[in-house]
Amino acid sequence: MHSIQNKKKESNIFLLFSLFWCVSTLVHQLIWTEWSYFNLPVGWLLTILCLVHIFTFGRYKIVFILTIFTSAFWYVLRQPLVVNHLYFETIMSLLMCAVSIGYYISKRFKKSTNKFSVYFATNALPLLRTSLLALYFFVVLHKLNYDFFKTDISCGAVLFENLLNNLKLINIGFIDNFYSTNQSLIANFSIYFSLCAELTIPILLLFKGSRNLGLILGLLFHFLLGLEGLGAIVSFTAMMFTYLVLFSSDALVAKALETIKNFKRYFIIGFTITTLLIAISLGFLSHNIFNKVVGLVWVIYTLITIGFYIKNIRLKSENTLRLNSEYLIFWMFPLLVVLNGFAPYLGLKTQTSFSMFSNLITENGKTNHFFIPSELQIFDYQREIVIIKDTNMKNLSSSDTWNQDKAYNFLLFEFIKKVETIDEGYVSFEVNDKPYYIEKKNGKVTTSSIKLNQNKISRKLLLFRPIYSDNISYCQQ
């Protein structure tokens, strides 16, 4: 049973989370704007519902429920997404949908008198916290490989250099001189700093005495990551801010809602102006201006959030952190997060497995991980390397956006998907030294010595990174 005081606290954290979640969902929508260019109804609906929930200050719970169901449908519809954190968002949206369904089942058959906000805070929010901790675990685990600590290719060093370039700091004389003469030292610092931060943040969040410090460290670290400038990282930062809020003390949550209520008029005016500016830049101005407007809004939002938490760092809670749901069935979603994180080591997908910017290699029967052996792989997807011998198919041989001058090979699973998008041509290739040939005319396969049919479910769930031809684990998203 929930006391009146506890119900109030649970309603508060639900409201604050729902507002932050809608903001981060809007950021995702602004980074990937295909819904607006192609007038996709589900994308428009999700965007509008998020705006309504924020403008009404979460007054109508049905709006939030419709929003999470629309979000889940939108993410599932777009699978396989190449962005790691949006796959995490997919699982979290499905978790929230399941809890919403559970609430109405409980209300209908068990005659529960709890409000939706209390039921959601009791069953969804603890597992969202657990899932975030699992995400941090895999982010660190995947980086425990030899190539992440090589200063010339490590994503830790690459992202820090990108940050300096994006902020134009490298153009300042003394910074450029210092960076040029101490490049290896700075690269090592950025590698170890990023790894230590991602290891320390979840540990601090687990303990009552250090939780607020972990919150602020997490907010600052992900803000710095977002300054790298890549839209996907900005979107990731917005998501992390949302789930980090779940570790706020009851006093912090109450203070945040009180602040929003006291300045509600100004928040509404600011949010309205922001929405109009973004809408105008999206519809009528160049893509470059639109990106700058979104970037400016993101910086203001993150700095306000960080400033609030730093100002109120002394507001602590006596409550124990809840990481468990009342119902065992909802645990399937954190378990999906864990299974997804272990996927590369099982021979399953290498993309969207939370291995972003990790330099991890698990393909072709090899691994660069410190202690997880390739012998654990029970599936063969990563062992089927395609070597193209001859082809006239356009766009079949290409390079990725991160390392444009580096040639790569496909895994067979992705190669077949790529060939399906090409209308004309032939390709002669080998898979593990065995020759194959495919020819297409007018979009149809006329000759094929290999099975091209793929399971629709596996096409939705599995996604594999390319393998660089020189066998070097360059930085990839």
Side-chain angles (χ1 to χ4, degrees), residues 214-248:
L215 256 173
I216 292 174
L217 177 60
L219 295 173
L220 287 171
F221 174 72
H222 291 293
F223 170 69
L224 289 174
L225 274 184
L227 293 177
E228 191 272 349
L230 182 69
I233 299 182
V234 170
S235 170
F236 174 70
T237 297
M239 183 194 83
M240 295 303 287
F241 269 48
T242 294
Y243 293 111
L244 283 170
V245 163
L246 293 175
F247 291 84
S248 303

Side-chain angles (χ1 to χ4, degrees), residues 145-179:
N145 66 76
Y146 295 100
D147 291 316
F148 184 74
F149 292 88
K150 294 179 179 178
T151 56
D152 55 332
I153 59 174
S154 171
C155 288
V158 169
L159 291 179
F160 186 75
E161 184 175 357
N162 289 349
L163 184 151
L164 294 177
N165 287 321
N166 184 53
L167 297 179
K168 303 293 190 292
L169 295 177
I170 207 73
N171 296 335
I172 301 174
F174 75 93
I175 293 180
D176 183 34
N177 291 335
F178 182 80
Y179 183 76

